[in-house]
Amino acid sequence: MTEHKPPSREERKRCWFLRDQYFGCLDRLNIIDPSIVDKDPSQASSCLELKKSYEEGCMASWVEYFNKRRVLDLRQKQYLAMSEQQQPSNK
């Protein structure tokens, strides 16, 4: 995807679809941080084709944003779940 012009509605939809496919594959492998795949591709060999499509179908700045956002969102959910477990029960 070129970085020269803003993506069209169809290009954005395709990017989101490819992102969701790739992140779904990472979810099945319990991989939170996509940068792990860059460091050790063997940990997610079944996701490499999806990763390639995602990176080719989305602008690089979007890929970077989505990857960071994924880590932040999942960590936030973990922290919320931990804090709910630590709160005393009102029962």
Side-chain angles (χ1 to χ4, degrees):
M1 169 166 265
T2 62
E3 301 243 6
H4 302 294
K5 62 181 176 98
S8 68
R9 180 183 304 232
E10 288 305 312
E11 289 169 328
R12 289 192 306 269
K13 283 183 182 180
R14 176 157 171 71
C15 173
W16 296 329
F17 173 79
L18 294 170
R19 175 203 59 194
D20 293 346
Q21 293 292 306
Y22 176 53
F23 285 178
C25 186
L26 295 180
D27 288 343
R28 288 188 292 281
L29 298 174
N30 295 316
I31 296 175
I32 293 174
D33 188 348
S35 69
I36 290 172
V37 180
D38 293 327
K39 295 172 188 165
D40 184 6
S42 65
Q43 288 192 20
S45 58
S46 60
C47 301
L48 294 180
E49 282 299 315
L50 293 170
K51 177 183 186 300
K52 181 180 177 190
S53 297
Y54 164 57
E55 291 175 346
E56 289 174 354
C58 298
M59 294 187 303
S61 60
W62 284 32
V63 169
E64 182 180 349
Y65 171 80
F66 289 145
N67 289 351
K68 288 179 181 178
R69 188 79 240 161
R70 172 183 169 81
V71 173
L72 291 173
D73 286 345
L74 291 174
R75 284 188 182 153
Q76 183 180 36
K77 286 178 185 174
Q78 288 174 341
Y79 292 141
L80 289 173
M82 282 186 348
S83 69
E84 286 175 2
Q85 289 175 354
Q86 292 176 353
Q87 290 179 356
S89 178
N90 291 335
K91 295 179 182 178

